Amino acid sequence: MINADAPLPEDLFAAFPGEDAVMGHEIAVNCDRWQDALSTRGLPPLQGVLAGPGITKVSRADVFELGGREITPSNAFQLLYYSLAWGLGRRAPRLHQRLNALAAHQDRAEELLVEAWQGVRSGESAQDVYGVLTTDKGKGRIPWFGPAFSTKFLYFAQGQEAPPRYLILDQVVARNLSDVWPGAPTAAWFPDTYARYCAVTGSWAEQATERLDGARKVRADEIEFVLFKRR
């Protein structure tokens, strides 16, 4: 279990990059591959920069912009596509399996994505919004979209207007939390575990802000960012 009272590790405090670095964190995406894969399966087409040709880069700020839009089924699919494309990168491993599952469960996926986004917008607890997309046993309710990707959707669904409360949790981040989370599983995190993770990262962001004597407010996603890069 995560030690919710653990102090902020010194190596993380020394590595905080600042908000601009986090928001500018960009990933290359093969637009042509995505467009072909969606079209073949009859899924809603991409909009925005990913609807263009060739290889492009998508930043966290780009995906956050989608999260600030009106909550509609169409926008929910765009937010899912962009958060998934950003998470998978240019090679996009197992993209076809993921989109096959999405096409097979399109109506149910639409309902779940909209419900989760509405929960985020309403400020519901991390455990509750995570539970919309993930079962009590940590399995994705949409096949092939497990916690590593559902937490990306929740993270970006917050938009840019407020500091993030719901954070990305994947196997790299979990593994790099081993000093405060002994024996951390690298997949299938339960909803209460995700809530504790968000609470710890939020607490560490507050501790870091205090140590900076108010020079700036440290965002919780800076914690996730440096955890992912921790060595």
Side-chain angles (χ1 to χ4, degrees):
M1 181 177 291
I2 301 173
N3 179 4
D5 299 319
L8 171 65
E10 289 298 324
D11 65 308
L12 297 186
F13 180 72
F16 288 143
E19 179 178 349
D20 289 346
V22 174
M23 297 297 281
H25 179 201
E26 58 184 15
I27 302 295
V29 177
N30 185 329
C31 301
D32 296 330
R33 184 182 179 197
W34 268 89
Q35 292 164 27
D36 290 345
L38 292 171
S39 176
T40 298
R41 291 160 178 80
L43 287 164
L46 281 160
Q47 300 172 12
V49 296
L50 292 186
I55 306 297
T56 193
K57 290 186 176 180
V58 176
S59 69
R60 292 196 189 211
D62 294 329
V63 191
F64 267 129
E65 191 277 326
L66 291 169
R69 295 184 181 181
E70 180 185 3
I71 300 175
T72 66
S74 175
N75 285 344
F77 274 104
Q78 295 303 312
L79 181 57
L80 177 66
Y81 294 160
Y82 272 73
S83 59
L84 184 60
W86 180 87
L88 289 174
R90 182 170 178 172
R91 294 181 62 188
R94 294 181 288 281
L95 177 62
H96 294 296
Q97 292 93 325
R98 300 180 200 280
L99 295 185
N100 283 342
L102 185 62
H105 303 275
Q106 185 173 343
D107 290 343
R108 179 58 175 156
E110 177 183 299
E111 294 174 0
L112 291 171
L113 294 171
V114 168
E115 181 182 351
W117 196 357
Q118 289 172 334
V120 168
R121 187 71 58 85
S122 299
E124 295 180 11
S125 71
Q127 181 168 335
D128 286 346
V129 295
Y130 180 83
V132 174
L133 298 177
T134 312
T135 70
D136 289 343
K137 298 299 183 182
K139 182 179 180 180
R141 296 188 188 277
I142 304 171
W144 281 90
F145 292 89
F149 289 102
S150 63
T151 59
K152 289 179 177 65
F153 180 87
L154 297 176
Y155 169 68
F156 287 118
Q158 297 170 99
Q160 301 185 58
E161 295 304 314
R165 297 174 50 221
Y166 318 107
L167 301 172
I168 297 170
L169 177 59
D170 59 22
Q171 62 179 346
V172 177
V173 171
R175 184 171 60 245
N176 289 341
L177 271 170
S178 59
D179 50 346
V180 299
W181 192 2
T186 55
W189 304 284
F190 297 171
D192 62 332
T193 300
Y194 178 69
R196 290 177 69 87
Y197 161 71
C198 290
V200 167
T201 50
S203 173
W204 284 353
E206 291 176 359
Q207 292 176 43
T209 299
E210 291 176 2
R211 290 179 60 177
L212 291 173
D213 295 323
R216 71 177 184 87
K217 185 174 179 62
V218 176
R219 292 165 53 103
D221 53 358
E222 291 184 59
I223 306 289
E224 171 263 313
F225 184 90
V226 296
L227 279 169
F228 186 83
K229 295 179 177 293
R230 195 181 197 186
R231 296 294 181 266

